[in-house]
Amino acid sequence: MKRIMMRNNIYLGIITAGLFMFSCEPEIDVPEPTNGEADFSTYVALGNSLTAGYTDGALYREGQLNSYPSIIASQMMEVGGGDFVQPLVPEGNGIGGSGDGKLELSIINGSPFPIPTDGDPAAFGTPTVSGPYNNLGVPGARSFHLVTPGYGSEQGNPFFARIATAPTTTVVADAAAQNPTFFTLWIGNNDILGYALSGGDGDEITPVSTFQQAMGGIVGTLTTANADIEGALANIPDVTEIPYFTTVPYNAFVLTAEQAAGANASLAAQIEPVVESQVIVTVASATGVATEAVYTQAYQQAKQQGANDQEAASAAQAYVQSVEGQTAIGTTRDLIIDNLDATGLDEPLNTLVSNTNLLIDNPGVRPVELQQQIDYLIATPEDRPQELVAAINQQIQGLRNAGFYPTLQEGANGFLIADENSLTGVRLATENDRILLDVARLSSEQIAAGPLADNLVLTVDEIALIDQARSSYNSIISGVANDNGFALVDVDGLFTSLIEGGIFVDGENFSSEFVTGNAFGLDGVHLSPAGAAVVANTFIDAINSKYNSSIPPVNISSYRGNILP
């Protein structure tokens, strides 16, 4: 069960399960190792941090040695595979994208929590093993980066700069230069993961057309280098279901009755001025729109009675200044105000101004007199007309009735999140939103101070964009694999099994649970060594099925999961 407890901090669930379980399994017949229809003598692996062996928030040696391509290569040696050279970092804690070293669990206020160790700047230096390198996984790489010249320059990616044969080369060019007989390619996670990790704020999803072009360029370069090359392409799992996005429950905002009352008062102080200003703009604008409508009607009537343009304009101007005209304006304005509701403040106005030049939704072109009226009403609440006060109260009640006005209660609540699509600008998180793991590091005071920033939440709309792109990517990957006769590795299906209850392999249970599930490392994004072994066996199964080979699977129990402090 996923659990987050709030005290001074929101802590990760107390870990009580052992990280490893072993049991005896019956002996089974193992086929004689054979390469089947494939040549594994020169194997190269292309991809991103998952391929490089990045885990626990950093690239360090143990993760590299236990990367899924390294595990595959070790098993390929039994069926004619050759050496598999990796750009190993020095012994130590390695280095992450932020400069910190790997994460380790530490006890904070009674609960295990991952904290970074000191990074090793030497990790970005020359690898301890000389190339050419068979593992060309580059942390941070997106699909198009593998075909981008200069990605290994000082202005590019430092993880590739440390291993590139030249600053102007590409990742796939360095792979093709080795004339490989077999390759694996798992790329595309970062094309959507960057957007997800930013909470949909400050990053972009790679366009489908760009991804398709990149996949064609990668495979085209490899097949041009060796027309007989064989390979395996992995699809993209649902990144929004990995531990980084599923560990913190949406409703882990737990309050006492006193805290709830204080939070609701704070919410009112934040929301109601916004609502008031919206209504004031609408009501003030309604007066302008009503005047425009009455003026236009009077003008058209004068024209129908034979007046020329100048005469009609003079007649219309005289009418709107008359008692009868002012009454008509007031009636029209009240009709607009009466039609305000919680589904959209400006909808009635938009209908009326569609053929006018007031452009109520564009403050930059409002008439000066109208803007002055709006500014005055906002600045001087005590001088607001009675109908304006009534309209404000009506709008606030409408927002409450429609569920747009969040109200906190004693006990568990959805986190307050910023949402530009909400009429109040904030709302309560639902089970369809994803709260990022970084929220677990915030204190209860920080959380109660206001809505979670957009970069700490994936909303249901943002998740839909990710899933739409991922579906398109996977169609492209499947098409490229089928068109070229390569194996298709269903990592998406594997991750679904991990998410939907886990899998039991070699006496161990693996799932997507943070820390205790053992498939993912302490950053909640990358694979643990044991998780990499599970992925390696998934590759091996797909390769064996496609090429009639019998690469022996690896014993998962030989690889560790996460280590308790």
Side-chain angles (χ1 to χ4, degrees), residues 265-441:
S266 176
L267 269 177
Q270 295 178 52
I271 292 173
E272 292 186 7
V274 176
V275 176
E276 288 177 2
S277 65
Q278 290 176 322
V279 176
I280 287 169
V281 169
T282 302
V283 173
S285 299
T287 302
V289 171
T291 301
E292 185 87 4
V294 170
Y295 175 93
T296 300
Q297 185 178 24
Y299 178 88
Q300 291 173 344
Q301 288 178 346
K303 289 282 289 183
Q304 291 172 357
Q305 295 171 359
N308 59 32
D309 291 345
Q310 183 176 359
E311 292 169 340
S314 296
Q317 185 64 35
Y319 180 73
V320 298
Q321 293 175 349
S322 69
V323 174
E324 184 182 0
Q326 288 295 306
T327 300
I329 290 171
T331 301
T332 305
R333 182 200 61 198
D334 292 344
L335 179 64
I336 296 171
I337 294 172
D338 289 342
N339 279 280
L340 294 176
D341 57 39
T343 62
L345 287 167
D346 294 332
E347 186 174 353
L349 295 179
N350 290 337
T351 302
L352 287 176
V353 305
S354 58
N355 296 316
T356 72
N357 60 4
L358 292 180
L359 298 177
I360 301 305
D361 288 331
N362 189 343
V365 296
R366 287 176 185 155
V368 174
E369 297 81 6
L370 176 58
Q371 188 61 55
Q372 288 174 342
Q373 183 181 8
I374 292 171
D375 293 341
Y376 175 78
L377 293 173
I378 291 176
T380 316
E382 62 273 12
D383 291 334
R384 291 172 183 168
Q386 183 177 354
E387 68 266 26
L388 178 55
V389 174
I392 290 172
N393 292 335
Q394 177 186 352
Q395 182 66 18
I396 290 173
Q397 189 58 47
L399 291 171
R400 291 185 188 277
N401 294 341
F404 291 113
Y405 196 113
T407 301
L408 296 162
Q409 60 186 4
E410 181 181 5
N413 296 271
F415 284 102
L416 275 171
I417 62 177
D419 187 350
E420 62 182 13
N421 294 320
S422 171
L423 295 178
T424 59
V426 295
R427 65 175 175 85
L428 299 180
T430 72
E431 60 183 1
N432 296 318
D433 299 308
R434 294 287 180 266
I435 308 301
L436 275 57
L437 186 60
D438 284 343
V439 172
R441 296 181 172 88

Side-chain angles (χ1 to χ4, degrees), residues 186-249:
W186 189 15
I187 196 70
N189 288 279
N190 285 344
D191 292 73
I192 51 178
L193 183 62
Y195 176 82
L197 292 176
S198 73
D201 179 40
D203 210 326
E204 295 182 356
I205 297 173
T206 300
V208 172
S209 58
T210 301
F211 181 83
Q212 184 169 25
Q213 184 176 10
M215 289 297 296
I218 295 166
V219 172
T221 301
L222 293 172
T223 54
T224 298
N226 181 359
D228 297 323
I229 194 172
E230 304 289 3
L233 280 67
N235 56 19
I236 310 303
D238 186 353
V239 299
T240 68
E241 292 290 345
I242 61 178
Y244 191 83
F245 300 102
T246 60
T247 298
V248 180

